[in-house]
Short mmCIF file of all heavy atoms in Angstrom, two decimals:
data_model
loop_
_atom_site.label_atom_id
_atom_site.label_comp_id
_atom_site.label_asym_id
_atom_site.label_seq_id
_atom_site.Cartn_x
_atom_site.Cartn_y
_atom_site.Cartn_z
N SER O 23 56.72 -275.31 280.30
CA SER O 23 55.79 -274.18 280.32
C SER O 23 55.10 -273.98 278.98
O SER O 23 54.01 -273.40 278.93
CB SER O 23 56.51 -272.91 280.74
OG SER O 23 57.50 -272.60 279.79
N GLU O 24 55.68 -274.43 277.87
CA GLU O 24 55.04 -274.28 276.57
C GLU O 24 53.85 -275.24 276.46
O GLU O 24 52.82 -274.90 275.90
CB GLU O 24 56.03 -274.59 275.44
CG GLU O 24 57.12 -273.56 275.33
CD GLU O 24 58.13 -273.93 274.25
OE1 GLU O 24 57.88 -274.91 273.52
OE2 GLU O 24 59.14 -273.24 274.15
N CYS O 25 54.00 -276.43 277.01
CA CYS O 25 52.95 -277.44 276.89
C CYS O 25 51.87 -277.22 277.95
O CYS O 25 50.72 -277.49 277.72
CB CYS O 25 53.60 -278.80 276.98
SG CYS O 25 52.80 -280.03 277.95
N CYS O 26 52.24 -276.76 279.13
CA CYS O 26 51.28 -276.55 280.23
C CYS O 26 51.41 -275.13 280.77
O CYS O 26 52.19 -274.90 281.70
CB CYS O 26 51.54 -277.54 281.35
SG CYS O 26 51.39 -279.25 280.86
N PRO O 27 50.67 -274.18 280.22
CA PRO O 27 50.76 -272.81 280.73
C PRO O 27 50.22 -272.74 282.17
O PRO O 27 49.39 -273.59 282.54
CB PRO O 27 49.89 -272.00 279.78
CG PRO O 27 48.97 -272.99 279.18
CD PRO O 27 49.71 -274.29 279.14
N PRO O 28 50.63 -271.77 282.95
CA PRO O 28 50.13 -271.69 284.31
C PRO O 28 48.62 -271.41 284.33
O PRO O 28 48.12 -270.75 283.41
CB PRO O 28 50.88 -270.50 284.92
CG PRO O 28 51.40 -269.75 283.76
CD PRO O 28 51.57 -270.72 282.64
N PRO O 29 47.90 -271.93 285.29
CA PRO O 29 46.45 -271.72 285.33
C PRO O 29 46.12 -270.24 285.54
O PRO O 29 46.85 -269.52 286.24
CB PRO O 29 45.99 -272.56 286.51
CG PRO O 29 47.18 -272.76 287.34
CD PRO O 29 48.36 -272.73 286.44
N GLN O 30 45.03 -269.80 284.93
CA GLN O 30 44.62 -268.41 285.08
C GLN O 30 43.54 -268.31 286.17
O GLN O 30 42.75 -269.20 286.34
CB GLN O 30 44.04 -267.89 283.78
CG GLN O 30 45.07 -267.81 282.69
CD GLN O 30 44.45 -267.26 281.40
OE1 GLN O 30 43.25 -267.27 281.25
NE2 GLN O 30 45.30 -266.81 280.50
N THR O 31 43.57 -267.21 286.90
CA THR O 31 42.58 -266.98 287.95
C THR O 31 41.26 -266.59 287.31
O THR O 31 41.20 -265.72 286.43
CB THR O 31 43.04 -265.84 288.88
OG1 THR O 31 44.33 -266.17 289.39
CG2 THR O 31 42.08 -265.63 290.02
N ILE O 32 40.17 -267.21 287.75
CA ILE O 32 38.85 -266.89 287.25
C ILE O 32 38.26 -265.76 288.08
O ILE O 32 38.25 -265.83 289.30
CB ILE O 32 37.93 -268.12 287.32
CG1 ILE O 32 38.48 -269.22 286.43
CG2 ILE O 32 36.51 -267.75 286.91
CD1 ILE O 32 37.77 -270.53 286.54
N VAL O 33 37.81 -264.71 287.43
CA VAL O 33 37.22 -263.57 288.10
C VAL O 33 35.71 -263.58 287.83
O VAL O 33 35.30 -263.62 286.66
CB VAL O 33 37.85 -262.25 287.59
CG1 VAL O 33 37.24 -261.06 288.28
CG2 VAL O 33 39.35 -262.28 287.80
N ARG O 34 34.91 -263.54 288.86
CA ARG O 34 33.45 -263.54 288.71
C ARG O 34 32.97 -262.15 288.32
O ARG O 34 33.46 -261.13 288.82
CB ARG O 34 32.77 -263.93 290.00
CG ARG O 34 33.10 -265.32 290.48
CD ARG O 34 32.40 -265.58 291.81
NE ARG O 34 32.89 -266.76 292.44
CZ ARG O 34 32.42 -267.99 292.20
NH1 ARG O 34 31.43 -268.14 291.36
NH2 ARG O 34 32.91 -269.02 292.82
N SER O 35 31.97 -262.11 287.44
CA SER O 35 31.40 -260.82 287.06
C SER O 35 30.45 -260.31 288.15
O SER O 35 30.28 -259.11 288.31
CB SER O 35 30.67 -260.93 285.72
OG SER O 35 29.64 -261.90 285.82
N LEU O 36 29.81 -261.23 288.85
CA LEU O 36 28.92 -260.89 289.96
C LEU O 36 29.42 -261.62 291.21
O LEU O 36 30.06 -262.65 291.10
CB LEU O 36 27.49 -261.35 289.65
CG LEU O 36 26.83 -260.71 288.44
CD1 LEU O 36 25.50 -261.39 288.16
CD2 LEU O 36 26.62 -259.22 288.67
N PRO O 37 29.10 -261.12 292.40
CA PRO O 37 29.53 -261.83 293.60
C PRO O 37 28.84 -263.17 293.72
O PRO O 37 27.73 -263.37 293.21
CB PRO O 37 29.10 -260.90 294.75
CG PRO O 37 28.16 -259.93 294.16
CD PRO O 37 28.41 -259.87 292.71
N LYS O 38 29.52 -264.12 294.35
CA LYS O 38 28.97 -265.47 294.53
C LYS O 38 27.71 -265.41 295.38
O LYS O 38 27.66 -264.71 296.39
CB LYS O 38 30.01 -266.36 295.19
CG LYS O 38 29.61 -267.79 295.28
CD LYS O 38 30.73 -268.65 295.80
CE LYS O 38 30.30 -270.08 295.90
NZ LYS O 38 31.38 -270.94 296.39
N VAL O 39 26.69 -266.17 294.99
CA VAL O 39 25.43 -266.20 295.72
C VAL O 39 25.51 -267.30 296.78
O VAL O 39 25.81 -268.45 296.46
CB VAL O 39 24.25 -266.48 294.77
CG1 VAL O 39 22.94 -266.52 295.53
CG2 VAL O 39 24.21 -265.45 293.68
N GLY O 40 25.21 -266.97 298.03
CA GLY O 40 25.16 -267.96 299.10
C GLY O 40 23.88 -268.78 298.99
O GLY O 40 22.88 -268.34 298.44
N ARG O 41 23.94 -270.00 299.52
CA ARG O 41 22.77 -270.87 299.43
C ARG O 41 21.55 -270.32 300.13
O ARG O 41 20.42 -270.57 299.72
CB ARG O 41 23.12 -272.24 300.05
CG ARG O 41 24.04 -273.06 299.20
CD ARG O 41 24.40 -274.39 299.83
NE ARG O 41 23.34 -275.06 300.53
CZ ARG O 41 22.45 -275.88 299.98
NH1 ARG O 41 22.49 -276.08 298.68
NH2 ARG O 41 21.55 -276.50 300.70
N ASN O 42 21.73 -269.60 301.22
CA ASN O 42 20.59 -269.09 301.98
C ASN O 42 20.19 -267.66 301.63
O ASN O 42 19.31 -267.09 302.26
CB ASN O 42 20.89 -269.19 303.47
CG ASN O 42 20.90 -270.62 303.95
OD1 ASN O 42 20.03 -271.41 303.56
ND2 ASN O 42 21.88 -270.99 304.75
N GLU O 43 20.83 -267.08 300.63
CA GLU O 43 20.49 -265.75 300.20
C GLU O 43 19.34 -265.80 299.19
O GLU O 43 19.10 -266.84 298.58
CB GLU O 43 21.71 -265.08 299.54
CG GLU O 43 22.83 -264.82 300.53
CD GLU O 43 24.03 -264.18 299.85
OE1 GLU O 43 23.90 -263.70 298.71
OE2 GLU O 43 25.08 -264.17 300.47
N PRO O 44 18.62 -264.70 299.00
CA PRO O 44 17.56 -264.69 297.99
C PRO O 44 18.11 -264.98 296.59
O PRO O 44 19.23 -264.58 296.26
CB PRO O 44 17.01 -263.26 298.05
CG PRO O 44 17.45 -262.73 299.37
CD PRO O 44 18.73 -263.44 299.71
N CYS O 45 17.36 -265.67 295.80
CA CYS O 45 17.79 -266.04 294.46
C CYS O 45 17.90 -264.80 293.56
O CYS O 45 17.03 -263.93 293.62
CB CYS O 45 16.79 -267.02 293.84
SG CYS O 45 17.41 -267.78 292.34
N PRO O 46 18.94 -264.70 292.75
CA PRO O 46 19.11 -263.53 291.87
C PRO O 46 18.08 -263.46 290.75
O PRO O 46 17.98 -262.45 290.07
CB PRO O 46 20.52 -263.69 291.32
CG PRO O 46 20.88 -265.09 291.52
CD PRO O 46 20.09 -265.61 292.66
N CYS O 47 17.26 -264.48 290.57
CA CYS O 47 16.24 -264.43 289.49
C CYS O 47 14.98 -263.71 289.95
O CYS O 47 14.01 -263.64 289.21
CB CYS O 47 15.90 -265.84 289.02
SG CYS O 47 14.90 -266.81 290.17
N ASP O 48 14.99 -263.18 291.18
CA ASP O 48 13.85 -262.41 291.75
C ASP O 48 12.58 -263.23 291.92
O ASP O 48 11.48 -262.71 291.80
CB ASP O 48 13.56 -261.17 290.91
CG ASP O 48 14.65 -260.12 291.02
OD1 ASP O 48 15.30 -260.06 292.08
OD2 ASP O 48 14.88 -259.37 290.05
N SER O 49 12.73 -264.53 292.22
CA SER O 49 11.56 -265.35 292.44
C SER O 49 11.04 -265.20 293.88
O SER O 49 9.92 -265.59 294.15
CB SER O 49 11.89 -266.82 292.20
OG SER O 49 12.83 -267.26 293.16
N GLY O 50 11.87 -264.65 294.75
CA GLY O 50 11.48 -264.52 296.15
C GLY O 50 11.87 -265.73 297.01
O GLY O 50 11.73 -265.70 298.21
N ARG O 51 12.36 -266.79 296.38
CA ARG O 51 12.78 -267.98 297.10
C ARG O 51 14.28 -267.92 297.39
O ARG O 51 15.00 -267.12 296.79
CB ARG O 51 12.47 -269.24 296.30
CG ARG O 51 10.98 -269.43 296.08
CD ARG O 51 10.71 -270.74 295.41
NE ARG O 51 11.08 -270.62 293.99
CZ ARG O 51 10.97 -271.59 293.11
NH1 ARG O 51 10.53 -272.78 293.49
NH2 ARG O 51 11.33 -271.41 291.87
#
Side-chain angles (χ1 to χ4, degrees):
S23 63
E24 292 177 7
C25 138
C26 300
Q30 294 181 342
T31 305
I32 298 173
V33 180
R34 298 178 192 273
S35 58
L36 298 172
K38 186 174 179 179
V39 179
R41 287 178 40 85
N42 290 317
E43 294 180 14
C45 191
C47 73
D48 291 330
S49 65
R51 296 186 286 179

